[in-house]
Amino acid sequence: MATTKKARAKKPANKKTKRTNPAKSTAASGNPAKVQKATARDWIAGARLRTLSLAISPVAMGTAVAYYTLGYNLAIALLCLGVAMFLQIGVNYANDYSDGVRGTDAYRVGPSRLTGSGAAKPRTVLTVALVFFALAAAAGIAIVVLTGIWWLLAVGAVALVAAWFYTGGKRPYGYAGLGELVAFVFFGLVATVGTTYVMIEQAPLESILAGVIAGFFAAAILLVNNIRDREQDARVGKKTLAVRIGDLPSRIVFTVLLAGVYGVLVPFALLFEWAPLVYFTLLISAPVALIVLLARTPGELVLALKLTSLGALLTGLGLAAAIAF
């Protein structure tokens, strides 16, 4: 009998088990002690503060163009920064929630997520995301009240919808390979040109070109993140751009996006005395392009992601300073 029981005990170990969402597995086991409850540090990590370069850079450049053209309004500039930052953080938490409840993060190789790891309840993560969306909306409404440009409410509504449906809803566009395009539009053109417009009610060419620079960086940051998760996303049916076009083409597109940034910088370098100094950020961007082209491990792509975010911030702030001064 002892031999029979031992054989039976070993038998399940030979079966190939399907990997599932850790949050769901923990809930099913009835043993919450398996996963530590999210700490303040975990929540801060969930906000993914390094991505805030996507919010700071376009607002800085848009404000600089307004100042150079007609003048700027500090209160409105700060409100624009609030809209961009709250929206970015809201997107990050909403992405955490949506991917977690779908089970997309079950094969994740990047930093642990609040929902997918089971460290936080999905409803709590969703509530935090909605709070940041509400803060972004409040800042946007304040801008509309101060400027009297009421049609901007529609633009804000579209931005909130885009933020949610990146990974939320029944058919998220992030799962259809459109994430990079939407990031280019909203965290590039809309954020930069919108900042300039609410201050001077004009959209100068300089603001549009600066928006293209911000958009290239936004798309590149999202793309390198999706390159890192390409194999895992393919497993769960998340058809990002990296999944759709393949590994090497994705790495080439990333390099083209970074090269595009420095191509668009040319007019600024010809027009503004200090703008050529922004090309020193190539000391970051050139190695990043090389890392992405040659990377073999997720860790290398995480490093590329961090450096791309830093490059976006320094390029945006550097160009803003060159335009303004």
Side-chain angles (χ1 to χ4, degrees), residues 103-164:
T104 307
D105 286 336
Y107 296 95
R108 183 172 175 79
V109 295
S112 179
R113 295 283 187 86
L114 294 163
T115 308
S117 68
K121 294 180 180 179
R123 184 175 293 274
T124 304
V125 179
L126 175 60
T127 300
V128 172
L130 294 177
V131 166
F132 278 100
F133 285 153
L135 289 172
I141 291 170
I143 292 171
V144 170
V145 171
L146 288 173
T147 62
I149 309 173
W150 295 97
W151 59 265
L152 286 175
L153 289 173
V155 177
V158 172
L160 287 171
V161 169
W164 172 252

Side-chain angles (χ1 to χ4, degrees), residues 17-41:
T17 56
K18 183 179 179 182
R19 188 172 179 179
T20 57
N21 189 333
K24 292 181 180 179
S25 299
T26 301
S29 70
N31 184 8
K34 287 185 178 181
V35 178
Q36 273 193 327
K37 187 177 179 180
T39 62
R41 184 175 180 179

Side-chain angles (χ1 to χ4, degrees), residues 5 38 99-100 147 182 190 195 322 324:
K5 286 181 180 180
D99 279 348
T147 62
V182 176
V190 173
T195 298

